[in-house]
Amino acid sequence: LIAVVAILTSCSGISAVDYNNKVVEVQNEIVKEASKFSNRVQQVAQSRDFASIQVEADSSLAVIDAQIAKLKDIDAPSGGEEFKEAAIKAFESYKVIFEKGAAASKFTEETSVDELNKYITEFAAAMKESEALEDAARKAQKEFAEKNGIKVY
């Protein structure tokens, strides 16, 4: 999602700009957590030290759940519901990634290369789906911004 560079106000409730910025704040926290988790999964896959990944996943899932709850608690301004729903779907897709990542905790030193490759393929598919949902959220954000005279980059 894209940061806003305009200041607008609304007659009631949260302004379109403030709403957009809140969504971006939530997204930034989730992306930071996703990056951390993704790096950890890659390290685990290479080192084959799989036992610790479940704890990492649980921690990351808690962060995502808290951020999604924060977004759900914000009332979208007029015309912002589609953007909100698209953003929530995109953010919830990260949960799938973390859950897939947590599946690595079942692996052992004896796990075959074929099993690891299958896992990596499934993880990549979850990432691809998440990217598609992110694209949909960016599109919804762009439409929201255009309707509200907000310039986004």
Side-chain angles (χ1 to χ4, degrees), residues 4-72:
V4 173
V5 294
I7 298 178
L8 302 174
T9 57
S10 175
C11 294
S12 63
I14 190 168
S15 73
V17 169
D18 288 343
Y19 181 73
N20 184 80
N21 289 344
K22 296 265 186 209
V23 174
V24 170
E25 287 172 18
V26 166
Q27 184 216 18
N28 287 341
E29 290 301 313
I30 291 173
V31 167
K32 184 170 37 172
E33 192 66 30
S35 178
K36 178 179 125 185
F37 185 75
S38 179
N39 289 337
R40 181 68 182 130
V41 168
Q42 290 173 10
Q43 291 170 355
V44 165
Q46 292 173 359
S47 71
R48 298 175 74 91
D49 172 27
F50 302 110
S52 65
I53 200 66
Q54 186 66 53
V55 173
E56 295 277 344
D58 290 344
S59 174
S60 293
L61 286 166
V63 169
I64 287 183
D65 284 337
Q67 292 301 318
I68 291 171
K70 186 186 294 185
L71 180 56
K72 286 180 177 180

Side-chain angles (χ1 to χ4, degrees), residues 80-93:
E81 266 316 303
E82 276 188 43
F83 174 33
K84 180 177 185 174
E85 291 306 313
I88 289 169
K89 284 180 184 178
F91 301 157
E92 286 177 341
S93 74

Side-chain angles (χ1 to χ4, degrees), residues 85-148:
E85 291 306 313
I88 289 169
K89 284 180 184 178
F91 301 157
E92 286 177 341
S93 74
Y94 280 86
K95 290 174 64 172
V96 174
I97 293 168
F98 294 156
E99 290 162 354
K100 292 272 186 208
S105 67
K106 69 181 179 184
F107 297 141
T108 67
E109 286 292 325
E110 290 78 40
T111 300
S112 73
V113 171
D114 287 341
E115 282 183 271
L116 286 175
N117 287 337
K118 180 181 176 191
Y119 165 78
I120 291 167
T121 299
E122 290 173 356
F123 190 79
M127 292 289 290
K128 186 175 181 177
E129 175 67 19
S130 181
E131 290 169 8
L133 290 167
E134 279 282 337
D135 288 344
R138 276 191 287 279
K139 181 180 179 207
Q141 181 189 31
K142 183 178 178 186
E143 291 170 1
F144 173 75
E146 287 173 358
K147 288 178 190 174
N148 288 284

